[in-house]
């Protein structure tokens, strides 16, 4: 297979990723070359091309699609991202001044219409039948750890312009996504503030618990409410969130009973642009900027794959 094509993994990137990939135990046949298949997945994420239109150099399009779907269902993409994050953190290359924000993604008309029946049983990378879906509830419990399901239906929301999804994320000081959540497009930002921060989980390469607590958090006025501030104070996390104008009016109207204004570090708030730049990097991938995936967990894994590439290449 040709190497060095635009968007493919470089030799250095492949050597970082290769030890983390699933290994077949021989009972379920051999995996097709991981590097070839991953390059095919990255090509689709970058270009947004139909799976059936993948270039022949990536092999069978169906093999590439099934690998992406399988790794989306069993959490392999999320695990790979965390392992790469762990290596960067162990090397002291992570800035824990975190920023939080969200972005709307327009969903293509083909993203709607996912089957209501649960998918057939999946077999994980070790050959164990660990992902058997006996009904809709079990499938939703699997997807629920990755994407909000239920009323939104696979993370799709309706608007005047059509279907939309929203990506909620946190980013470190080097504009790299730390955690990702997908919801319907109409979901308010503040409702996902706690889940986004709770999903930050960077393992240690040696002994010790995963790191979950950032040094500080910056967010815009969409997160300026009591529950968000109380959560940050309870965890002892320094934060910079500007006060809304109407909240300030109410506080001043109440006089001494309104309490003191929240602290605001203008210099620290300037670093909030890191999450905006992380969003721009994610949306350089066309399959992220426009959602084509029907399943919410598959789309979240598409976003996670784009985030993994960002970590590998910075």
């Amino acid at each position: 297979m040709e190497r060095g094509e635009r968007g493919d993994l470089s030799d250095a990137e492949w050597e970082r990723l290769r030890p983390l990939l699933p290994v077949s135990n021989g009972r379920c046949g051999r995996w097709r070359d991981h590097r070839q298949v991953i390059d095919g997945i990255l090509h689709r994420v970058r270009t947004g091309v139909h799976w059936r239109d993948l270039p022949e150099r990536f092999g069978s399009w169906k093999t590439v699609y099934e690998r992406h779907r399988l790794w989306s269902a069993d959490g392999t993409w999320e695990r790979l991202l965390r392992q790469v994050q762990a290596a960067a953190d162990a090397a002291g290359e992570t800035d824990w001044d975190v920023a939080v924000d969200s972005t709307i993604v327009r969903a293509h008309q083909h993203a709607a219409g996912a089957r209501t029946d649960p998918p057939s049983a999946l077999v994980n990378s070790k050959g164990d039948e660990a992902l058997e879906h006996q009904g809709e509830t079990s499938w939703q419990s699997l997807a629920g750890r990755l994407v909000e399901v239920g009323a939104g239906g696979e993370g799709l929301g309706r608007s005047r312009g059509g279907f939309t999804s929203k990506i909620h994320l946190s980013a470190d000081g080097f504009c790299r996504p730390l955690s990702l959540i997908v919801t319907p497009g109409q979901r308010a930002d503040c409702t996902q503030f706690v889940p986004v921060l709770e999903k930050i989980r960077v393992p240690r390469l040696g002994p010790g618990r995963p790191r979950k607590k950032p040094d500080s958090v910056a967010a815009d006025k969409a997160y300026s409410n009591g529950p968000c501030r109380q959560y940050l104070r309870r965890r002892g996390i320094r934060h910079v969130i500007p006060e809304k104008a109407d909240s300030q009016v109410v506080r001043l109207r109440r006089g001494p009973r309104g309490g003191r204004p929240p602290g605001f570090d203008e210099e620290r708030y300037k670093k909030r642009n890191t999450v905006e730049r992380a969003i721009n990097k994610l949306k350089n991938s066309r399959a992220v900027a426009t959602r084509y995936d029907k399943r919410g967990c598959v789309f979240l894994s598409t976003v996670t794959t784009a985030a993994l590439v960002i970590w590998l290449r910075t």
Side-chain angles (χ1 to χ4, degrees), residues 125-192:
S125 58
K126 295 182 180 179
D128 301 323
E129 295 182 1
L131 297 175
E132 296 180 358
H133 312 305
Q134 301 299 331
E136 183 177 2
T137 303
S138 61
W139 167 249
Q140 289 189 351
S141 65
L142 171 68
R145 65 184 175 89
L146 299 172
V147 62
E148 180 184 329
V149 296
E154 301 295 347
L156 283 174
R158 290 186 178 273
S159 67
R160 290 185 178 183
F163 291 109
T164 57
S165 294
K166 182 178 282 190
I167 303 172
H168 306 261
L169 72 155
S170 62
D172 78 338
F174 297 121
C175 313
R176 300 174 297 188
L178 282 170
S179 60
L180 299 157
I181 290 178
V182 171
T183 67
Q186 73 273 11
R187 190 69 73 242
D189 291 359
C190 60
T191 62
Q192 302 303 312

Side-chain angles (χ1 to χ4, degrees), residues 50-241:
H50 287 283
W51 290 106
R52 293 176 182 269
D53 295 332
L54 282 175
E56 293 182 359
R57 66 188 182 89
F58 300 121
S60 170
W61 70 267
K62 192 170 184 179
T63 299
V64 180
Y65 164 72
E66 289 294 340
R67 188 78 56 86
H68 182 57
R69 186 178 71 92
L70 173 62
W71 286 2
S72 300
D74 66 9
T76 296
W77 286 120
E78 186 176 14
R79 180 181 60 81
L80 292 175
L81 176 61
R82 286 181 174 175
Q83 290 298 322
V84 172
Q85 291 173 344
D89 187 46
E93 299 173 355
T94 303
D95 185 346
W96 283 94
D97 286 334
V98 172
V100 178
D101 206 348
S102 70
T103 182
I104 291 285
V105 174
R106 179 69 180 273
H108 194 273
Q109 59 185 356
H110 294 166
R115 294 180 180 178
T116 56
D117 296 334
S120 58
L122 296 177
V123 178
N124 66 11
S125 58
K126 295 182 180 179
D128 301 323
E129 295 182 1
L131 297 175
E132 296 180 358
H133 312 305
Q134 301 299 331
E136 183 177 2
T137 303
S138 61
W139 167 249
Q140 289 189 351
S141 65
L142 171 68
R145 65 184 175 89
L146 299 172
V147 62
E148 180 184 329
V149 296
E154 301 295 347
L156 283 174
R158 290 186 178 273
S159 67
R160 290 185 178 183
F163 291 109
T164 57
S165 294
K166 182 178 282 190
I167 303 172
H168 306 261
L169 72 155
S170 62
D172 78 338
F174 297 121
C175 313
R176 300 174 297 188
L178 282 170
S179 60
L180 299 157
I181 290 178
V182 171
T183 67
Q186 73 273 11
R187 190 69 73 242
D189 291 359
C190 60
T191 62
Q192 302 303 312
F193 182 72
V194 173
V196 165
L197 292 180
E198 287 289 334
K199 201 175 179 183
I200 296 176
R201 184 184 179 88
V202 178
R204 310 283 187 182
L205 294 185
R209 297 179 179 179
R211 175 157 185 177
K212 303 178 181 179
K213 182 179 177 181
D215 293 334
S216 66
V217 171
D220 59 20
K221 291 183 179 180
Y223 304 93
S224 180
N225 60 28
C228 292
R229 295 183 188 276
Q230 290 169 10
Y231 168 80
L232 292 168
R233 284 197 294 267
R234 186 170 63 251
R235 292 191 60 188
I237 300 174
R238 295 184 294 111
H239 56 279
V240 180
I241 304 176

Side-chain angles (χ1 to χ4, degrees), residues 15 28 55 59 86 102 124 149 169 175 200 254 274 294 297 304:
E15 289 303 318
C28 301
S102 70
N124 66 11
V149 296
L169 72 155
C175 313
I200 296 176
R254 297 185 64 186
T274 55
K294 293 182 183 292
C297 70
T304 303

